[in-house]
Amino acid sequence: MYHYRISDQVPLKTKRLILTPMNVKQIDEMLARETDSMLRGALNEMRRGVSEEPVQALWYTGWQVTLKQNGALVGLVGFQGVPADKTVALGYVIFDGYHGNGYAQEAISSLCNWAFGRENVYFVQALAGEINEAANHILGKLRFYRVESPVPGQNRWAIERPASEWLAIYMCIGLSIGLALGSSIYGNMITGMTIGLSAGLALGAVLDSQDRGARKREHAPKKLDEITPSGKQYN
């Protein structure tokens, strides 16, 4: 089993932001000064997960979102537990005074990319209230798509790990190797190119097929169109 300890993780950096996972002490410090009941509930859940599952803590903790420019704390983003059925659930908050700057979009994109680099994670899901125009707009801009939601009044959005491109990669590699072999061994670049492309095509097709098989889920939610109940489309 892969370990996802907080102490092993370096901060994630984007163009304007730094994302740093919180340990138990940092969560406690934030709890001590937080007055919002919903955020306190989320922080308590983070603390419980980090305490009970220290080797998987990165899937439970909040990642502090700070500005590169001055270190200001602008929000939190994080997952709500270890991957299940190749899917993780994401939540986020941007604090008052920092809305409208694109920080949520930048932070979510970075953490999704991190998740897709981990073993057996192919989907990220997030909930947004049906009347929360800003949250729905952000997720739509990030190319999330809507799926059936188990929570009344909440839109559930999902994004999938980008598909493998091994076919194109290995065709290019095969072409390069084939051209070299064609001129040095066969004395005919066309022959070498044909052999190289065929080998690259075969290997790339196998790897792409394996990737498609690996992302199949037991209980995939039904995909919906991207029209919200308010009639607006996010794409």
Side-chain angles (χ1 to χ4, degrees):
M1 180 178 67
Y2 284 84
H3 291 173
Y4 295 98
R5 296 186 180 92
I6 291 171
S7 59
D8 295 336
Q9 179 63 46
V10 298
L12 305 179
K13 296 182 180 180
T14 70
K15 182 178 180 180
R16 299 178 296 169
L17 307 173
I18 299 176
L19 279 61
T20 308
M22 294 191 295
N23 56 34
V24 170
K25 180 180 178 181
Q26 291 168 317
I27 295 173
D28 284 342
E29 290 172 350
M30 185 169 287
L31 267 168
R33 61 178 183 267
E34 185 54 56
T35 58
D36 182 86
S37 60
M38 290 187 63
L39 186 51
R40 285 186 59 84
L43 287 167
N44 277 311
E45 283 299 305
M46 292 175 194
R47 192 188 192 287
R48 181 191 60 78
V50 171
S51 299
E52 295 179 0
E53 301 285 347
V55 298
Q56 297 294 316
L58 290 174
W59 296 115
Y60 292 95
T61 193
W63 298 59
Q64 292 183 328
V65 182
T66 57
L67 298 181
K68 279 184 177 180
Q69 184 179 21
N70 57 18
L73 178 64
V74 301
L76 292 175
V77 64
F79 299 108
Q80 299 167 12
V82 297
D85 200 14
K86 305 179 182 180
T87 306
V88 288
L90 176 143
Y92 75 94
V93 60
I94 298 297
F95 300 139
D96 291 343
Y98 296 102
H99 297 163
N101 295 293
Y103 296 145
Q105 186 173 336
E106 199 168 322
I108 292 169
S109 178
S110 178
L111 201 58
C112 285
N113 288 338
W114 178 87
F116 288 147
R118 313 281 77 80
E119 183 189 38
N120 210 32
V121 178
Y122 289 90
F123 299 87
V124 175
Q125 294 183 353
L127 289 174
E130 291 177 352
I131 61 174
N132 190 335
E133 294 281 342
N136 285 290
H137 180 69
I138 289 167
L139 295 171
K141 285 186 68 175
L142 286 167
R143 310 307 299 176
F144 279 69
Y145 54 86
R146 287 206 304 135
V147 296
E148 282 186 320
S149 174
V151 183
Q154 295 281 321
N155 290 328
R156 181 161 64 161
W157 295 81
I159 191 170
E160 183 174 354
R161 180 195 291 192
S164 162
E165 296 182 354
W166 291 114
L167 181 60
I169 292 170
Y170 276 94
M171 283 183 66
C172 292
I173 293 173
L175 176 60
S176 300
I177 294 174
L179 287 171
L181 292 177
S183 59
S184 62
I185 296 178
Y186 301 109
N188 186 323
M189 286 195 297
I190 299 299
T191 300
M193 183 177 67
T194 302
I195 294 173
L197 279 174
S198 298
L201 178 62
L203 182 56
V206 169
L207 293 173
D208 280 350
S209 177
Q210 290 176 344
D211 178 75
R212 288 192 296 272
R215 64 182 63 223
K216 290 182 179 178
R217 295 179 288 179
E218 294 183 11
H219 306 289
K222 180 181 178 182
K223 184 176 180 179
L224 306 177
D225 61 18
E226 291 159 24
I227 305 295
T228 69
S230 65
K232 292 194 175 184
Q233 185 171 10
Y234 299 101
N235 53 33

